[in-house]
Amino acid sequence: MKKFAALGLSVSVALILAATGGIAEAQGRPVGGGGGGDKGGPGGGKGGGPTVEGYYSWMHPDVALAFSPGDLGGAYTGVGSHLIVVDSFDGAQYSGNLDGTTQALFHGEWTTLQASLVAPDASRAGSDSALGGVDYDSNINSSITSYYSATSGDLNVVNLSFALAEDVNATSVNLGALGDSIVDQAFAGSAVFVKAAGNTNGGALTDPFAAIIGGQIVTVYDALNEQLIGADGAIFVGALTKDGDAKKQASMARYSTVAGDNVVAQQQFLVVGVKSGDNGGLEGTSFAAPIVSGYAALLGDKFDTATPVQVVDQLLSTARTDTIRNYSASIHGMGEACLSCALSPASIPQ
């Protein structure tokens, strides 16, 4: 029975965590830096910022608006949404500071913490997909259906801050039961699936990249990215160097994967700022995806009868392009996720 803990060249796909660090490794790589100081604390970082309980300087100021009663029609904190984080909760640790405390945590602990800080009142569950946790032959279906049966109508949001890497020379793709179930549920629209685009230094979603798997450098591509293109319930997330503004536009992070020339993929692609100077040194699209996962949970709070596909469409259709330097659909997809834009309407269009 295959498990992610024992991935190597003999296994069809390998899991690669979407944090930065040279050639990608099958079991992730710690990120350097991580002083953090008070930049991860409440309120603004350099130059000030909103002072709202629960808001941290690595967040977009729109999050402070969402938390504040009245600014966007109410105070939205993720009530009625459920965060499912499929990730690694073992192995390499990463230094960072998201909540005012500099610490070293496992990759999945960071992504869970980040999404839950953006949507603090969403319920949450972690699913360890690597390094001794979930069986490669298990699936995500029970995590989704069990929550639905307990609280019918509430929104499931699934964060996927990893790649399922397939050798470019493979003659067939086998994502395993877990990967297959993610793809099936994303196409069924049973949850909002938020996928970290990857860290291929400007490569497109399905472009090949070098990875260390089983102690060897091999050329692979992200088969999960490939299989999720066209899924109504899936969003890909790339990273900007900061939050964009119409007057002070943001650039794509040097490490981030881009949307590419596939028009369908472009229409599923968002970008958000990953401010490593404010989060204690955390870097990579691993830490872009949980921001959008949190946004989706906040939308589930306000629009409590919206379907997952409606939430996905709302996030994609309200993205901004005027906040991005040299915007291009082939790089930035639909643009920078705009939480205040997505929350502004009284209801989501049917």
Side-chain angles (χ1 to χ4, degrees):
M1 188 173 290
K2 297 177 240 179
K3 294 188 179 183
F4 282 117
L7 287 181
L9 290 177
S10 61
V11 177
S12 177
V13 291
L15 180 141
I16 296 176
L17 305 178
T20 62
I23 296 176
E25 296 185 77
Q27 296 184 351
R29 176 181 295 226
V31 176
D38 61 1
K39 292 183 180 179
K46 292 182 180 179
T51 302
V52 173
E53 184 178 358
Y55 172 81
Y56 296 90
S57 58
W58 54 266
M59 297 174 177
H60 194 287
D62 280 1
V63 176
L65 292 177
F67 289 173
S68 302
D71 285 332
L72 292 170
Y76 306 113
T77 55
V79 173
S81 297
H82 184 61
L83 294 166
I84 301 169
V85 179
V86 183
D87 212 307
S88 169
F89 296 82
D90 200 348
Q93 291 189 316
Y94 299 73
S95 178
N97 184 340
L98 293 179
D99 59 359
T101 302
T102 299
Q103 55 189 325
L105 297 176
F106 298 122
H107 190 272
E109 292 176 320
W110 278 124
T111 55
T112 302
L113 176 62
Q114 188 179 25
S116 64
L117 287 171
V118 176
D121 287 327
S123 59
R124 53 193 177 271
S127 176
D128 181 2
S129 62
L131 310 177
V134 167
D135 221 11
Y136 186 66
D137 293 319
S138 65
N139 62 58
I140 200 171
N141 299 340
S142 60
S143 296
I144 292 174
T145 56
S146 64
Y147 185 69
Y148 267 137
S149 64
T151 52
S152 178
D154 288 350
L155 183 74
N156 281 294
V157 181
V158 183
N159 191 82
L160 308 168
S161 287
F162 60 86
L164 288 181
E166 175 67 81
D167 192 315
V168 293
N169 296 315
T171 57
S172 62
V173 176
N174 175 15
L175 296 179
L178 178 60
D180 286 343
S181 65
I182 288 170
V183 172
D184 289 345
Q185 294 283 357
F187 272 90
S190 61
V192 177
F193 287 83
V194 183
K195 173 71 170 66
N199 305 313
T200 58
N201 300 305
L205 285 169
T206 59
D207 280 357
F209 59 94
I212 300 173
I213 302 175
Q216 301 181 46
I217 298 177
V218 295
T219 302
V220 298
Y221 71 96
D222 188 343
L224 186 55
N225 276 356
E226 178 187 65
Q227 296 297 310
L228 286 174
I229 292 175
D232 288 340
I235 297 173
F236 300 106
V237 187
L240 299 171
T241 56
K242 64 177 184 177
D243 299 328
D245 181 90
K247 294 182 179 179
K248 296 180 180 179
Q249 295 174 318
S251 299
M252 201 71 169
R254 55 170 174 73
Y255 55 79
S256 181
T257 295
V258 302
D261 294 331
N262 185 317
V263 175
V264 176
Q266 292 172 10
Q267 294 171 348
Q268 293 177 254
F269 197 97
L270 293 174
V271 291
V272 292
V274 177
K275 298 180 283 187
S276 58
D278 280 356
N279 67 20
L282 297 170
E283 197 173 60
T285 60
S286 273
F287 310 108
I291 294 173
V292 175
S293 291
Y295 288 3
L298 295 180
L299 265 65
D301 186 344
K302 179 172 184 177
F303 308 115
D304 55 6
T305 61
T307 67
V309 173
Q310 288 176 321
V311 170
V312 167
D313 289 345
Q314 183 72 358
L315 286 167
L316 291 168
S317 65
T318 57
R320 295 181 64 176
T321 60
D322 62 323
T323 60
I324 300 171
R325 183 176 291 112
N326 299 319
Y327 164 77
S328 168
S330 64
I331 297 173
H332 310 100
M334 298 298 286
E336 183 176 7
C338 178
L339 178 61
S340 61
C341 303
L343 284 173
S344 290
S347 61
I348 289 182
Q350 297 296 314

